[in-house]
């Protein structure tokens, strides 16, 4: 068993401070004489990227976190976590930077897809399952971003003003749940909360997290969020990352020696880092005598990604067309640019490079071998050209100043270590080599997107040299806001032309690279593309239209400006549906979008960002091989102006959460407008009957029966309603404003046709409490509701909570 205080006593002040200060982009330093190796971290909400770009070591890409929450399946979340813990071990990563438990306060939030839900209980339970799975492999997690990083606009500097009840009952609740379940790490946010930057917010990080909740793990800053030496050290932060622009190191040593920071504070931080290192195997021995768990490395990444995708898909509308019967089909039209350019994950730090991606078109064609499955673009919402790909292009090779290797795509992206162990201090350029043999003569469009200085040559002729961004653009803006430059090139069919893209960097800046060589061959204009799709749909048995958002719409670093689908996708759907009433629309978006045509089509399937197995999972659901198992983790609006909470724009550096506890369905229940699809909504391929509901002790009990003709899975959702506003135990004459209903628990069950199963749903004490300068149970008569969805109650009973 490791004696942390004994190890701490062997360290100099300089060594202690080094252990809480990033040594590079992703790690803390080793101190071999105490048995400590370097503690390595990696981004990873949907996959483990590792410390840099390794084309020969891709990362499994699971569906987005919102998709995981749409499964309402804690056991599946734990399985997903086990897979990423396994991946972390394989890649030499000790700490996975996730999960994200900020709430869906507004559908305009740019990182909506990376968060679980608008509901704190669902968010907390899915996060607990995920964390347990990752940590079962002795890999740490950092539940993030503590707290109030529910939008991206001015996120580095904004002060979020959160009322006490909302802070405790909503925004801190998932963090508290994970801390209580034994999470090993927390990441603090960029923003401030109630007057103090989170990286220096002692009230939340020190008083609440560490003292009140008893959290014994480590608090790591978001990258470059720690900005002041003393306030970050005294405000509860334990690790400042990364090395660049770090306010600790020698400055913190000096602050301790000058008496501005007590060395006891440094000791507490180092003790937490050593505890994390022991838990994750970076420190010899263990803190509990058990050592790092020897969990089996037997999770099949593709299988987990497929299962999460299937169970996350929400069948929002179905007039009986789904599931399709393959034997009844002669021609299935697949329409939409996103049917081939599958967007399977969100933009920003969540991105990984998977071993493969199965597009919707490929998945459907694979599962319908005897059926004609033609394709039409219809409408293309992508503001940037898609990466060069396909049989016209020769294999791509990347030359990193003498280190030459093959790459799978025309997109090169990394954050951190360079390929092949190249030194970031000396690498100043990369060169992407390929050639194009067009099948169509005419004007082709080539494009460069990303950031940096570029030179593009085609057929030996330079067609561009310059920078895509103006001088002085910051590194964060470069990474999160890439630009594109397009170039028309006239080419002859069958004539091969070499294509070389060179990118140059400032010395020491090659740790962040994002470059894409784009291509679009000659083809119809926008009107012609839609006309082609409509004609194809009209002569097909079924039309499957894939619509969605793009990386330039949903990503870290900025918020959305509209809930509308980009481009002419709405027009495409309406015109295809008019030509063929047997139209299925697959909505591939990480957060709610407007669906003005929802009543015009036969079925609507919401697939979020479904990970690398996207097309295979989609085909299985469309053809009834699997049932769409998802339920909405967030409310889906009919009109943007109906949304009770939308604002993401700070005023004078602050944004007030003036709606208090009324976000998501809590706010919709007070609104005169009704959403398009309510929280918890989702159809399946069978039907369910609910029996009588009873409450015994802390559990709700009922039976559900599968009354359909096929196996199925149901999510039993249990809500509480306070009826006539029970009174506070603290102020018995003052009514407590509570939502009309709120989620108290849930359970997933599976049953064969005609089978009846018993469901037990625990009702936690917190479900009957409010924050009133402390947690207080509110007495009174509660209605307990077992529901298929928020707007579909099936069975109720009453429960009296005594004073």
């Amino acid at each position: 068993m490791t004696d942390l205080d004994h190890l701490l006593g062997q360290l100099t002040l300089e060594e202690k401070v080094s252990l809480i200060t990033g040594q590079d982009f992703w790690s803390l330093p080793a101190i071999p004489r105490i048995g400590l190796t370097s503690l390595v971290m990696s981004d990873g909400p949907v996959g483990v990227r590792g410390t840099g770009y390794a084309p020969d070591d891709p990362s499994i890409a699971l569906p987005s976190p919102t998709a995981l929450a749409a499964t309402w399946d804690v056991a599946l979340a734990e399985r997903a976590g086990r897979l990423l813990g396994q991946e972390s071990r394989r890649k030499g990563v000790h700490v996975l930077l996730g999960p994200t438990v900020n709430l869906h306060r507004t559908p305009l939030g740019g990182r909506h897809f990376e968060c679980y839900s608008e509901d704190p209980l669902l968010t907390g339970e899915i996060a607990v399952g995920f964390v347990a799975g990752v940590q079962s492999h002795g890999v740490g997690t950092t539940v993030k971003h503590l707290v109030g990083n529910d939008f991206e606009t001015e996120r580095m500097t904004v002060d979020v003003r959160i009322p006490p009840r909302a802070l405790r009952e909503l925004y801190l609740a998932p963090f508290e749940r994970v801390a209580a379940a034994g999470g090993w790490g927390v990441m603090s946010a960029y923003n401030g909360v109630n007057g103090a930057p989170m990286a220096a917010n002692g009230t939340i990080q020190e008083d609440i997290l560490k003292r009140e909740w008893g959290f014994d793990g480590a608090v790591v800053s978001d990258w470059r969020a720690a900005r002041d030496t003393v306030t970050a050290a005294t405000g509860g932060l334990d690790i400042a990352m990364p090395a660049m622009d770090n306010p600790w190191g020698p400055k913190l040593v000096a602050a301790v020696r000058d008496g501005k920071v007590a060395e006891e504070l440094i000791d507490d931080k180092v003790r937490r880092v050593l505890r994390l290192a022991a838990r994750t195997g970076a420190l010899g021995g263990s803190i509990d005598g058990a050592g790092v768990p020897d969990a089996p490395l037997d999770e099949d990444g593709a299988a987990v990604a497929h299962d999460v995708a299937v169970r996350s898909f929400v069948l929002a509308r179905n007039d009986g067309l789904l599931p399709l019967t393959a034997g009844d089909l002669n021609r299935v039209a697949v329409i939409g640019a996103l049917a081939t350019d599958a967007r399977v994950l969100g933009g920003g730090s969540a991105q990984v490079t998977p071993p493969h991606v199965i597009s919707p078109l490929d998945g459907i064609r694979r599962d319908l071998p005897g059926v004609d499955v033609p394709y039409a673009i219809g409408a293309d919402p992508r503001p940037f050209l898609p990466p060069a790909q396909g049989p016209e292009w020769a294999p791509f090779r990347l030359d990193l100043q003498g280190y030459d290797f093959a790459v799978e795509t025309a997109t090169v992206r990394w954050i951190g270590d360079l390929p092949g162990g190249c030194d970031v201090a000396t690498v100043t350029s990369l060169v992407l080599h390929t050639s194009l043999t067009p099948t169509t003569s005419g004007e082709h469009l080539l494009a460069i997107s990303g950031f940096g200085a570029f030179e593009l040559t085609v057929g030996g002729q330079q067609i561009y040299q310059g920078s895509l961004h103006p001088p002085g653009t910051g590194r964060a803006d470069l990474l999160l806001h890439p630009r594109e430059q397009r170039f028309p090139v006239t080419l002859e069919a069958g004539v091969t032309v070499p294509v070389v893209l060179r990118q140059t960097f400032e010395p020491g800046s090659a740790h962040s690279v994002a470059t894409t060589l784009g291509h679009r061959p000659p083809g119809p204009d926008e009107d012609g593309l839609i006309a082609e799709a409509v004609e194809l749909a009209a002569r097909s048995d079924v039309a499957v239209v894939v619509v969605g958002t793009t990386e330039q719409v949903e990503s870290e670093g900025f918020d959305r400006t509209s809930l509308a689908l980009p481009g002419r996708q709405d027009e495409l759907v309406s015109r295809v549906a008019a030509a063929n009433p047997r139209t299925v629309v697959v909505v591939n978006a990480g957060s709610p979008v407007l669906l003005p045509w929802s009543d015009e089509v036969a079925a609507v399937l919401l697939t979020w960002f479904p990970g690398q197995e996207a097309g295979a999972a989609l085909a299985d659901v469309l053809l009834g091989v699997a049932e769409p198992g998802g339920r909405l983790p967030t409310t889906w609006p009919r009109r943007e102006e109906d949304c009770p909470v939308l604002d993401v724009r700070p005023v004078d550096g602050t944004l007030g959460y003036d709606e208090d506890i009324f976000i998501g369905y809590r706010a919709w229940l007070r609104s005169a407008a009704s959403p398009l699809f309510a929280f918890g909504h989702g159809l399946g391929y069978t039907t369910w009957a609910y029996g009588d509901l009873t409450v015994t002790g802390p559990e709700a009990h009922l039976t559900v029966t599968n009354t359909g003709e096929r196996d199925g899975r149901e999510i039993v959702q249990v809500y509480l309603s306070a009826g006539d506003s029970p009174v506070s135990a603290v102020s018995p004459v003052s009514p407590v404003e509570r939502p009309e209903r709120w989620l108290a628990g849930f359970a997933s069950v599976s049953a064969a046709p005609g089978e009846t199963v018993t469901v037990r749903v625990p009702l936690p004490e917190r479900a009957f409490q409010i924050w009133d300068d402390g947690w207080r149970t509110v007495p009174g008569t509660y209605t307990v509701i077992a529901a298929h969805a928020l707007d579909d109650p099936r069975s109720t009973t009453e429960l009296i909570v005594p004073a």
Side-chain angles (χ1 to χ4, degrees), residues 26 49-55 57 59 91 413-419:
W26 295 115
R49 188 168 60 237
T51 61
Y53 180 61
D57 187 21
S59 305
K91 286 176 173 279
R413 189 193 306 263
W414 68 74
I415 303 176
D417 296 345
L418 276 60

Side-chain angles (χ1 to χ4, degrees), residues 670-756:
R670 304 202 311 173
S671 173
S674 297
L676 180 61
F677 303 121
F679 178 81
H681 172 72
L683 307 175
Y685 290 156
T686 189
T687 55
W688 298 88
Y690 281 51
D692 292 337
L693 175 66
T694 60
V695 177
T696 304
E699 280 192 337
H701 303 256
L702 76 157
T703 59
V704 293
T705 302
N706 182 347
T707 55
E709 298 180 351
R710 56 177 289 159
D711 293 350
R713 176 174 172 267
E714 174 69 329
I715 307 296
V716 177
Q717 304 163 36
V718 177
Y719 297 89
L720 294 180
S721 176
D724 296 327
S725 295
V727 295
S728 167
V730 177
S731 307
V733 298
S734 174
V736 176
E737 189 174 30
R738 304 194 81 177
E740 180 183 320
R741 272 164 281 159
W742 61 94
L743 185 68
F746 60 93
S748 64
V749 295
S750 298
E755 183 182 2
T756 298

Side-chain angles (χ1 to χ4, degrees), residues 501-518:
L501 176 61
R502 177 184 297 273
Q503 181 178 13
T504 56
F505 325 102
E506 292 296 324
S509 67
H511 52 71
S512 301
V513 169
T515 301
T516 297
L517 173 65

Side-chain angles (χ1 to χ4, degrees), residues 232-569:
T234 59
L237 190 69
D238 297 314
I239 303 169
M241 293 294 294
M244 67 180 67
D245 301 325
N246 198 304
W248 285 0
K251 294 179 182 177
L252 184 53
V253 171
V256 173
R257 291 196 167 130
D258 291 344
K260 297 177 181 177
V261 176
E263 189 165 356
E264 289 78 10
L265 273 180
I266 305 301
D267 289 348
D268 179 69
K269 300 176 194 303
V270 175
R271 192 177 290 109
R272 290 171 182 273
V273 170
L274 293 176
R275 183 179 295 119
L276 179 61
R279 285 169 166 168
T280 60
L283 181 63
S286 73
I287 60 169
D288 57 9
V292 174
D294 187 21
L297 306 177
D298 57 0
E299 290 290 353
D300 182 325
V304 175
H306 181 276
D307 291 350
V308 172
V310 164
R311 289 203 175 184
S312 73
F313 290 174
V314 175
L315 184 58
R317 172 180 168 81
N318 186 22
D319 70 357
L321 177 60
L322 296 181
L324 302 173
T325 301
D328 296 339
L329 302 172
N330 293 310
R331 178 181 295 117
V332 175
V334 177
I335 296 168
L338 302 184
T340 56
D341 184 10
R343 185 163 186 219
V344 300
L345 39 75
S349 61
Q351 291 182 316
V352 296
T353 302
H356 61 260
V357 172
I358 302 174
S359 71
L361 178 61
D362 288 341
I364 293 170
R365 281 178 171 169
R366 188 178 69 181
D367 278 19
L368 290 174
V371 177
D372 182 23
V373 184
Y375 168 71
I377 293 176
D380 191 343
R382 299 167 295 187
F384 288 7
L385 295 188
Q389 59 185 329
E392 294 179 308
W393 288 89
F396 301 97
R397 295 201 65 81
L398 195 63
D399 182 356
L400 204 58
Q401 289 188 202
Y403 177 64
D404 183 271
F405 56 100
V407 291
E408 292 293 323
T409 72
T411 295
V412 179
R413 189 193 306 263
W414 68 74
I415 303 176
D417 296 345
L418 276 60
C422 295
D423 185 358
V424 68
T426 60
V427 170
T428 57
S429 68
L430 65 80
V431 183
L432 183 68
H433 297 272
T434 184
S435 63
L436 171 61
T437 307
T439 57
T440 306
S441 296
E443 185 176 273
H444 291 246
L445 278 180
L446 296 178
I448 304 167
S449 61
F451 58 87
F454 296 94
E455 178 186 22
L456 179 64
T457 62
V458 179
Q461 179 181 357
Q462 183 188 87
I463 62 173
Y464 178 77
Q465 185 173 25
S467 178
L468 302 182
H469 289 80
T473 304
R475 296 294 299 177
D477 285 340
L478 289 173
L479 187 62
L480 296 172
H481 301 96
R483 296 188 177 187
E484 182 191 56
Q485 185 77 38
R486 298 184 180 187
F487 318 98
V489 180
T490 300
L491 300 175
E492 182 180 345
V495 177
T496 299
V497 291
V499 179
V500 179
L501 176 61
R502 177 184 297 273
Q503 181 178 13
T504 56
F505 325 102
E506 292 296 324
S509 67
H511 52 71
S512 301
V513 169
T515 301
T516 297
L517 173 65
H519 173 235
R520 177 177 293 160
D525 62 11
E526 289 186 358
D527 290 337
L529 290 174
I530 292 180
E532 281 185 348
V534 171
E535 187 276 330
L536 176 61
R539 56 185 176 86
S540 300
D541 300 316
V542 173
V544 177
V545 184
V546 182
V547 299
T549 59
T550 69
E551 187 176 339
Q552 290 74 35
V553 172
E554 287 190 86
S555 178
E556 177 182 356
F558 54 87
D559 293 308
R560 290 199 284 168
T561 58
S562 169
L563 298 183
L565 285 168
R568 296 174 66 178
Q569 294 180 99

